Amino acid sequence: MSLHSQTTANVAFQLSRNAHGRLTLRLAADDKEHVGVLPVRAYPISAPNEGLSLFGTDGHELVWIDRMDQLSAEQRTLIEEELAAREFVPTIQKLVSVSTFATPSTWSVETDRGRFDLVLKAEEDIRKLEGRTHLLITASDGLQFRVRDSSALDKHSRKLLSRFL
């Protein structure tokens, strides 16, 4: 169990893992230990390293962190481990095939997390973020996929994707 102190947004706190592996926060103001703290990104897709809240099990915000780089490397690691266990947004690296150019359509894609088959219900389930090339695609089951830069995809993938944009 490691213990690290940090001050952000004028709030001093220590962050660690308890013996059961749960993220624990101790606020300097009241020296109270909050077990099972939940980190939540304000902008997980467009600005993942900016705006992060640490919530208690009661759903109340305990600490606001403006930027992840305000934290020590150890604290960032603790928070990123916790986020990785909760966040699952695979990045599409290649579109292998689509069942049809009409929706609903089944897409076979290769991602940074492996190969997936997703069902796109409607073209509106493809959202453009940060300009024209960063995309967020929501499958029919609610799972979200991202394309960091559609212009960086291979020619075949760009051709398939263009039929839906």
Side-chain angles (χ1 to χ4, degrees), residues 110-153:
E110 290 179 13
T111 75
D112 61 339
R113 308 280 178 102
R115 191 171 183 144
F116 286 91
D117 289 332
L118 67 98
V119 175
L120 182 73
K121 291 187 302 187
E123 287 87 358
E124 294 80 32
D125 292 329
I126 303 173
R127 292 189 6 226
K128 294 179 182 179
L129 307 171
E130 297 178 25
R132 302 181 53 86
T133 62
H134 190 173
L135 306 173
L136 186 64
I137 300 169
T138 304
S140 63
D141 60 4
L143 187 60
Q144 294 185 324
F145 295 80
R146 90 177 81 202
V147 176
R148 291 197 191 278
D149 182 359
S150 61
S151 65
L153 294 172

Side-chain angles (χ1 to χ4, degrees), residues 48-67:
N49 294 315
E50 298 177 20
L52 180 105
S53 288
L54 298 179
F55 285 92
T57 55
D58 62 358
H60 288 94
E61 181 179 273
L62 300 169
V63 175
W64 171 260
I65 300 166
D66 292 325
R67 298 187 49 81

Side-chain angles (χ1 to χ4, degrees), residues 22 33 40 48 73 99 127 154 157:
R22 299 189 68 199
E33 183 176 76
V40 177
S99 63
R127 292 189 6 226
D154 65 273
S157 297

Side-chain angles (χ1 to χ4, degrees), residues 31-44:
D31 200 39
K32 182 178 178 190
E33 183 176 76
H34 301 272
V35 178
V37 173
L38 181 66
V40 177
R41 297 181 205 259
Y43 311 103

